[in-house]
């Protein structure tokens, strides 16, 4: 007896399945499910825009309403990916503009977007709602003007940390007076001023505005005006948080914050004048997210703020918080889930800032719900790491950056292998890990043995030999993203684990010990991988197999070698190295 | 020859690997500044691994401790150097774009590695931007366009103390007569009007507001041709 549900029923069932991973699983159950699922998929997430072509996506998923793409490798954030590398959104937007007239959402990260593309977006989609450009570049406020002018139903415009060429602050005025659907606006990355009157009018006619992140140039004196127009805000990013000594500004601000009963998240706080901090004390008890990572405030100011926020779940802060502030955090914020502590001075420890491993240990002790940590510091010990691991086995993300490369345990002068080993052993659900400090191959043995749920691993200045890399590639079963810099890992480990690379999204290796010859072999053995070698100095001789490569980027793809590489990138293609 | 190389690599032989590998293991407690600086020098030179491989002499002068038990590394002498400046200089030409924080004075010149510590440029710029006082002591440059001229110019408004000085300078720059608009006399004998774009994006006539207010609100200047300057009776 052939049993099957009608297509419409299955489609209806599938409509409740929204996560990409679940959808992918559904699609491989059987052929008919594949066909039904693909026709009703509404959201597509593509973690590496070169892993697939726009044409392939469009052919498989004809009814998409939301697309999310990522372009450059993560290390692009740290200037390791040279100019012109790629990640162009142009061809994607071009093809989508023709194939998806009902597309509503585009989210791009680490991609190059042009004004022409933005204009195309603004005119091609009848019901366009969401544009998120995170860490993108290549466009100016002219492109934003087009979006503003033409997207009548726009709900969200988020320019998170993008590099925007500012030609004028006028683009905001291009939102027509009839435009009232805005729910979220993030312009915090814009360098120059926007027209405040246009901004004010926009906020005033957007009753659904929930998120507003201003740029630094919006003066504090004007913030209260905006807050009065939008007391329904849930997330606010301030501009510069100083205004000379102005009691009228202070009282207006204080009053405005009192009116914001829904506010749950605060950010911005550029250039903070501590005397204005009490103005927002009235919202602290409701805050779940606080981003003070651009504010150079110290104790007692910062400790006071934290002690007023018992419901805090997410805190981003500079190392000015010091151990004392973190102790206060551990006492006051029992619901804390995520902590990020950024360095204020990037190279040398500031003698006035006492942030050590103790602060993190305190938080790990006091905050039982802590899951995600990003911590920059100057010293660490194995015993501290072991304590943290035992305190918080529920950690899912642990990123530690000891600022000086190869710093050993400051107490015992030993490598930090056993410390990180304890982390991976106790934190069984760890999916993201970044290593630093002095580390030998042993730490990788621990990682390969215990970190079975690891999805992303970042390694720098660590390890002794290929054995280290081999442990990771052979042991971490579901590893998807591996990025390595300045480690003595090379050909042997890479070639012993070629099959693994096809199960991963990508591998980045820079300043390691991989040779051209190995890259050619890898490419020959694994035709489904793109093996890209960077040669910025122009010293690479592709015929000389023993030549070491500066940067290697390997990723799986069904789209073949890409055609938009700059001149300094070679693709290893079956028999030889090719430049486009 | 290629085939034998390939098979040796595929067999997992470490022979080929060892001849290429030249990474001294630096393990030294950060007791003094010199040793911690050395470790970052190592990483700078590592990023040019080709030169590093070829130049074994370089390796011999490297000051570092080998990890006990590793016998594939040459014995190295450990000497505490009293010339920290020397190690710095060796490192510097091989660095990528340096990320010095100009506005902060550090007690010693620290060698900097590209992309380390892993802080986004966005954040780095924001932090550095904090240290520099905006618009004070750094000039206030605005673009000046003249209708019909092929190039724009830039002038520093801080240099001038009054409208008269500004106008004189503009006139010299563009070889024209602008003058200041006067309610009674209009633009005396000039065919151009000076306008500026203010913070709100509106185009205003130069001369209406007090000089100090003008300086802080002027974003750019435009010298209009007489025929376009409506209502000015030129």
């Amino acid at each position: 007896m052939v049993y099957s549900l009608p297509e419409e029923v299955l489609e209806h069932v599938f409509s409740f399945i929204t996560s990409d991973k679940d959808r992918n699983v559904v699609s491989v159950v059987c052929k008919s499910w594949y066909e039904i699922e693909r026709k009703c998929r509404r959201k597509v997430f593509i973690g590496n825009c070169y892993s697939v072509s726009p044409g392939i996506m469009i052919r498989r998923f004809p009814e998409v309403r939301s697309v999310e793409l990522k372009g450059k490798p993560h290390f692009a954030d740290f200037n390791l990916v040279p100019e012109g590398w790629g990640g162009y959104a142009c061809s994607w937007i071009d093809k989508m503009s023709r194939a998806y007239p009902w597309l509503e959402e585009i989210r791009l990260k680490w991609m190059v977007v042009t004004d022409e593309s933005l204009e195309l977006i603004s005119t091609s989609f009848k019901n366009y709602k969401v544009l998120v450009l995170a860490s993108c570049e290549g466009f100016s406020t002219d492109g934003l003007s087009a979006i503003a002018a033409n997207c009548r139903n726009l709900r969200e415009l988020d320019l998170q940390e993008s590099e925007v060429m500012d030609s004028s602050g006028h683009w905001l005025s291009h939102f027509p007076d009839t435009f009232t659907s805005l729910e979220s606006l993030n312009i915090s990355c814009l360098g120059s001023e926007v027209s405040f009157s246009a901004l004010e009018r926009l906020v005033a006619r957007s009753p659904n505005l929930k998120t507003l992140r201003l740029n630094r140039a919006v003066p504090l004196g004007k913030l209260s005006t905006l807050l009065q127009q939008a007391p329904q805000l849930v997330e606010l990013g301030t501009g510069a948080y100083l205004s000379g000594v102005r009691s009228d500004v202070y009282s207006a601000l204080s009053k405005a914050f009192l009116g914001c009963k829904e506010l749950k998240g605060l950010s911005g706080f550029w250039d903070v004048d501590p005397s204005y901090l009490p103005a927002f004390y009235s919202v602290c008890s409701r805050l779940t997210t606080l981003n003070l990572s651009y504010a150079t405030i110290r104790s007692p100011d910062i400790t006071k703020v934290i002690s007023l926020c018992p419901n805090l779940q997410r805190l981003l802060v500079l190392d000015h918080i010091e151990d004392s502030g973190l102790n206060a955090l551990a006492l006051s914020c029992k619901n804390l889930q995520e902590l990020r502590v950024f360095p204020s001075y990037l190279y040398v420890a500031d003698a006035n800032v006492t942030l050590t491993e103790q602060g993190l240990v305190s938080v790990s002790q006091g905050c039982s719900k802590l899951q995600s940590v990003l911590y920059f510091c100057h010293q660490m010990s194995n015993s501290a790491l072991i304590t943290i691991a035992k305190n918080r086995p529920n950690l899912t993300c642990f990123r530690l950056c000891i600022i000086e490369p190869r710093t050993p345990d400051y107490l015992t002068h030993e490598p930090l292998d056993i410390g990180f080993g304890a982390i991976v052993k106790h934190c069984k659900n760890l999916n993201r890990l970044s290593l630093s400090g002095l580390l030998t191959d042993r730490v990788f043995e621990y990682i390969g043995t215990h970190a079975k749920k690891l999805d992303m691993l970042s390694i720098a200045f660590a390890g002794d030999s290929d054995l280290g890399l081999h442990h990771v590639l052979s042991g971490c079963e579901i590893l998807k993203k591996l990025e390595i810099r300045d480690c003595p890992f090379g050909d042997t480990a890479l070639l012993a684990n070629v099959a693994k690379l096809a199960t991963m999204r990508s591998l980045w290796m820079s300043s390691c010990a991989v040779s051209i010859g190995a890259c050619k072999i890898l490419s020959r053995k694994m035709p489904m991988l793109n093996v890209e070698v960077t040669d910025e100095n122009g010293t690479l001789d592709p015929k000389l197999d023993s030549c070491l490569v500066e940067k290697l980027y390997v990723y799986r793809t069904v789209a073949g070698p890409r055609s938009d590489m700059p001149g300094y990138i070679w693709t290893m293609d079956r028999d030889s190295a090719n430049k486009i | 020859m290629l085939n034998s190389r390939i098979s040796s690599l595929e067999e997992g032989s470490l022979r080929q690997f060892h001849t290429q590998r030249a990474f001294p293991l630096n393990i030294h407690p950060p007791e003094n500044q010199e040793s911690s600086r050395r470790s970052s020098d190592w990483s700078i030179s590592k990023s040019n691994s080709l030169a590093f491989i070829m130049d074994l002499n370089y390796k011999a002068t490297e000051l570092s401790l080998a990890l006990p038990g590793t016998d594939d590394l040459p014995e190295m002498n450990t000497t505490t150097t009293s010339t920290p400046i020397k190690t710095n200089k060796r490192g510097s030409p091989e660095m990528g774009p340096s990320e010095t924080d100009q506005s902060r004075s550090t007690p010693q010149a620290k060698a900097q590695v590209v992309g380390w510590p892993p802080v986004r440029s966005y954040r780095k710029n924001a932090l550095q931007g904090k240290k520099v006082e905006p618009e004070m002591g750094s000039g206030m440059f605005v673009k000046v366009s003249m209708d019909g001229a092929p190039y724009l110019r830039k002038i520093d408004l801080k240099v001038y103390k009054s409208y008269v000085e500004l106008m004189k300078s503009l006139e010299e720059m563009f070889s024209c007569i602008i003058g200041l608009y006067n309610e009674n006399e209009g633009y005396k004998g000039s065919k151009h009007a000076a306008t500026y774009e203010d913070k709100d994006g509106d185009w205003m006539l130069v001369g209406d507001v007090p000089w100090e207010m003008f300086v802080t609100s002027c974003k750019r200047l435009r010298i209009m041709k007489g025929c376009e300057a409506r209502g000015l009776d030129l």
Side-chain angles (χ1 to χ4, degrees):
Chain A
M1 174 183 131
V2 173
Y3 171 76
S4 61
L5 289 170
E7 211 173 286
E8 305 81 52
V9 175
L10 277 173
E11 219 181 276
H12 182 68
V13 171
F14 292 168
S15 69
F16 294 99
I17 300 169
T18 47
S19 116
D20 301 300
K21 288 200 168 70
D22 292 341
R23 279 266 169 172
N24 290 342
V25 168
V26 161
S27 69
V28 296
V29 165
C30 64
K31 216 155 174 220
S32 65
W33 278 37
Y34 177 89
E35 282 300 311
I36 297 167
E37 192 282 321
R38 76 176 187 86
K39 286 186 192 138
C40 65
R41 173 122 34 151
R42 289 279 192 261
K43 266 177 62 170
V44 177
F45 167 75
I46 295 170
N48 172 8
C49 67
Y50 291 115
S51 62
V52 70
S53 73
I56 293 173
M57 174 186 74
I58 289 166
R59 262 198 310 280
R60 180 172 171 191
F61 301 118
E63 295 295 329
V64 161
R65 297 279 185 272
S66 160
V67 174
E68 183 174 347
L69 295 171
K70 293 189 183 180
K72 301 181 196 174
H74 173 236
F75 273 178
D77 271 348
F78 316 129
N79 296 338
L80 286 175
V81 174
E83 279 294 309
W85 179 89
Y88 304 108
C90 193
S91 62
W92 286 89
I93 291 170
D94 227 35
K95 299 212 167 60
M96 291 194 299
S97 69
R98 282 186 290 248
Y100 294 147
W102 293 104
L103 191 67
E104 295 176 356
E105 306 180 356
I106 297 176
R107 293 176 169 83
L108 304 176
K109 190 165 186 185
W110 295 312
M111 295 194 80
V112 179
V113 184
T114 60
D115 285 340
E116 288 73 31
S117 291
L118 291 179
E119 220 174 313
L120 196 56
I121 290 174
S122 74
T123 51
S124 309
F125 308 115
K126 306 184 209 310
N127 195 22
Y128 196 72
K129 293 195 177 128
V130 172
L131 181 63
V132 177
L133 300 173
S135 304
C136 292
E137 54 172 350
F139 61 100
S140 76
T141 47
D142 289 344
L144 298 179
S145 298
I147 297 284
N150 302 325
C151 299
R152 298 297 158 97
N153 296 315
L154 194 69
R155 300 239 178 103
E156 181 175 341
L157 178 61
D158 185 341
L159 305 175
Q160 205 181 331
E161 296 184 7
S162 288
E163 255 180 60
V164 184
M165 294 176 279
D166 276 329
S167 31
S168 83
H170 290 309
W171 65 274
L172 266 183
S173 330
H174 289 251
F175 282 112
D177 291 335
T178 48
F179 172 68
T180 57
S181 53
L182 197 62
E183 292 176 16
S184 172
L185 180 66
N186 179 356
I187 54 170
S188 53
C189 62
L190 291 184
S192 64
E193 288 181 21
V194 291
S195 155
F196 186 76
S197 48
L199 177 61
E200 199 190 338
R201 285 196 304 273
L202 178 61
V203 170
R205 65 176 186 278
S206 305
N208 297 321
L209 192 66
K210 296 279 187 305
T211 299
L212 178 64
R213 300 204 197 278
L214 305 168
N215 62 340
R216 202 174 190 161
V218 176
L220 193 59
K222 303 251 165 113
L223 184 58
S224 38
T225 319
L226 290 174
L227 289 181
Q228 269 151 18
Q229 305 280 12
Q232 76 284 359
L233 279 180
V234 176
E235 302 270 343
L236 170 71
T238 72
Y241 206 75
L242 50 77
S243 194
V245 178
R246 299 275 306 273
S247 58
D248 54 326
V249 169
Y250 180 90
S251 53
L253 192 59
S254 196
K255 191 156 166 256
F257 271 117
L258 263 173
C260 294
K261 304 286 185 200
E262 311 293 323
L263 211 50
K264 291 225 168 55
L266 279 180
S267 63
F269 295 106
W270 314 92
D271 316 311
V272 174
D273 174 353
S275 59
Y276 282 96
L277 288 174
F280 75 85
Y281 282 179
S282 57
V283 304
C284 284
S285 60
R286 286 184 291 269
L287 285 184
T288 56
T289 304
L290 184 56
N291 183 349
L292 292 171
S293 62
Y294 296 102
T296 51
I297 51 175
R298 294 170 176 262
S299 299
D301 301 307
I302 195 165
T303 319
K304 174 76 177 165
V305 170
I306 286 171
S307 63
L308 292 173
C309 303
N311 289 312
L312 210 55
Q313 291 172 12
R314 207 169 161 249
L315 177 66
L316 288 78
V317 78
L318 282 175
D319 57 7
H320 288 182
I321 192 173
E322 298 185 298
D323 289 345
S324 55
L326 290 175
N327 290 338
L329 182 67
L331 286 171
S332 315
C333 303
K334 296 302 183 187
N335 290 325
L336 195 72
Q337 292 172 15
E338 181 176 344
L339 173 66
R340 295 192 188 203
V341 180
F342 294 97
S344 48
Y345 286 123
L346 293 177
Y347 307 109
V348 182
D350 181 357
N352 293 329
V353 173
T354 329
L355 180 97
T356 70
E357 79 285 5
Q358 280 316 308
L360 186 57
V361 172
S362 301
V363 175
S364 74
Q365 226 149 336
C367 302
S368 62
K369 301 191 187 161
L370 189 68
Q371 283 179 2
S372 174
V373 171
L374 169 63
Y375 200 75
F376 283 82
C377 60
H378 291 273
Q379 69 183 42
M380 186 50 65
S381 67
N382 281 314
S383 56
L385 284 171
I386 294 169
T387 309
I388 292 166
K390 289 187 172 154
N391 285 341
R392 291 279 63 79
N394 50 332
L395 283 176
T396 54
C397 168
F398 189 73
R399 296 158 71 188
L400 179 68
C401 178
I402 306 167
I403 291 181
E404 178 68 31
R406 280 183 226 94
T407 305
D409 178 328
Y410 78 101
L411 295 168
T412 64
H413 307 309
E414 304 218 322
L416 290 170
D417 298 338
I418 50 173
F420 278 104
I423 295 278
V424 294
K425 190 161 160 249
H426 291 276
C427 306
K428 302 210 190 305
N429 288 321
L430 196 69
N431 62 43
R432 186 162 178 192
L433 178 63
S434 297
L435 304 171
S436 59
L438 183 66
L439 297 164
T440 71
D441 283 347
R442 183 164 299 161
V443 73
F444 300 109
E445 198 186 328
Y446 296 143
I447 291 172
T449 311
H450 297 286
K452 294 303 183 188
K453 298 269 177 74
L454 203 60
D455 175 86
M456 180 168 179
L457 179 61
S458 309
I459 310 172
F461 306 106
D464 311 319
S465 73
D466 269 36
L467 206 50
L469 178 58
H470 177 69
H471 282 309
V472 169
L473 288 177
S474 56
C476 298
E477 286 155 6
I478 59 169
L479 191 66
K480 290 284 178 294
K481 287 158 279 182
L482 181 56
E483 45 185 29
I484 304 172
R485 62 162 297 173
D486 293 276
C487 296
F489 299 151
D491 301 345
T492 317
L494 205 60
L495 294 176
N497 291 283
V498 293
K500 174 73 179 173
L501 297 179
T503 68
M504 291 168 54
R505 184 190 294 176
S506 65
L507 166 68
W508 168 281
M509 290 178 74
S510 57
S511 305
C512 295
V514 181
S515 72
I516 275 276
C519 294
K520 289 183 193 168
I521 296 169
L522 176 60
S523 178
R524 195 175 314 140
K525 283 189 153 189
M526 305 291 290
M528 75 290 285
L529 298 178
N530 275 354
V531 180
E532 293 177 10
V533 162
T534 302
D535 171 38
E536 280 175 277
N537 294 336
T539 50
L540 197 73
D541 179 357
K543 294 195 194 49
L544 190 59
D545 281 359
S546 58
C547 224
L548 291 192
V549 310
E550 296 165 15
K551 292 173 184 166
L552 172 67
Y553 187 50
V554 180
Y555 56 92
R556 64 179 170 190
T557 179
V558 294
R562 57 184 177 113
S563 54
D564 59 2
M565 290 181 296
Y568 55 77
I569 294 192
W570 300 75
T571 175
M572 301 293 115
D573 189 15
R574 291 189 59 88
D575 302 313
S576 57
N578 295 328
K579 258 194 199 188
I580 300 295
Chain B
M1 193 171 83
L2 183 65
N3 283 337
S4 68
R5 276 183 60 93
I6 291 168
S7 58
S8 73
L9 282 166
E10 289 180 345
E11 282 157 16
S13 152
L14 293 175
R15 177 182 54 84
Q16 196 62 44
F17 172 74
H18 276 170
T19 57
Q20 289 173 8
R21 197 182 127 202
F23 303 101
L25 291 157
N26 296 340
I27 299 172
H28 41 269
E31 282 155 359
N32 49 42
Q33 292 300 330
E34 289 83 358
S35 55
S36 45
R37 212 176 292 120
R38 275 204 301 279
S39 71
S40 46
D41 275 346
W42 185 94
S43 50
I44 294 161
S45 51
K46 261 295 293 352
S47 58
N48 272 336
S49 349
L50 279 174
F52 196 67
I53 297 301
M54 299 309 163
D55 188 5
L56 293 176
N57 282 335
Y58 179 92
K59 200 157 61 98
T61 59
E62 181 79 56
L63 301 166
S64 57
L65 278 167
L67 185 65
T70 48
D71 40 339
D72 53 332
L73 295 165
E75 280 296 329
M76 305 216 207
N77 293 325
T78 55
T79 357
T80 47
T81 177
S82 55
T83 53
I85 300 149
K86 200 166 116 194
T87 52
N88 262 345
K89 276 196 183 146
R90 195 173 68 216
S92 53
E94 284 142 338
M95 270 191 278
S98 104
E99 293 152 340
T100 29
D101 185 346
Q102 303 284 357
S103 48
R104 200 187 85 235
S105 58
T106 47
Q108 68 270 350
K110 191 115 179 87
Q112 285 145 31
V113 181
V114 175
W116 190 266
V119 174
R120 286 189 184 169
S121 356
Y122 178 74
R123 177 168 292 281
K124 275 202 192 110
N125 295 338
L127 284 178
Q128 286 174 5
K130 289 171 94 57
K131 311 280 194 299
V132 177
E133 286 277 297
E135 294 171 18
M136 278 188 43
S138 55
M140 192 186 275
F141 284 91
V142 296
K143 287 184 188 172
V144 185
S145 63
M146 158 103 148
D147 289 350
Y151 308 107
L152 276 67
R153 303 296 299 267
K154 252 196 172 160
I155 56 169
D156 181 0
L157 290 179
K158 289 256 178 236
V159 164
Y160 310 105
K161 309 253 181 333
S162 68
Y163 282 118
V164 174
E165 280 184 27
L166 172 65
M167 288 308 175
K168 199 147 161 263
S169 174
L170 287 177
E171 283 176 358
E172 273 170 30
M173 206 182 263
F174 288 102
S175 312
C176 63
I177 302 167
I178 308 174
L180 278 176
Y181 184 67
N182 184 292
E183 288 291 337
N184 293 328
E185 299 169 66
Y187 267 81
K188 281 200 291 199
S190 76
K191 292 221 163 33
H192 296 85
T195 60
Y196 71 99
E197 186 184 359
D198 76 351
K199 280 180 174 170
D200 289 330
D202 300 315
W203 285 93
M204 319 280 288
L205 195 63
V206 168
D208 285 339
V209 301
W211 172 252
E212 284 74 22
M213 194 189 288
F214 165 75
V215 168
T216 53
S217 59
C218 172
K219 296 274 108 168
R220 58 187 299 175
L221 283 158
R222 179 184 165 202
I223 300 171
M224 293 170 70
K225 279 213 194 79
C227 45
E228 280 187 40
R230 292 194 220 139
L232 291 179
D233 212 18
L234 289 176

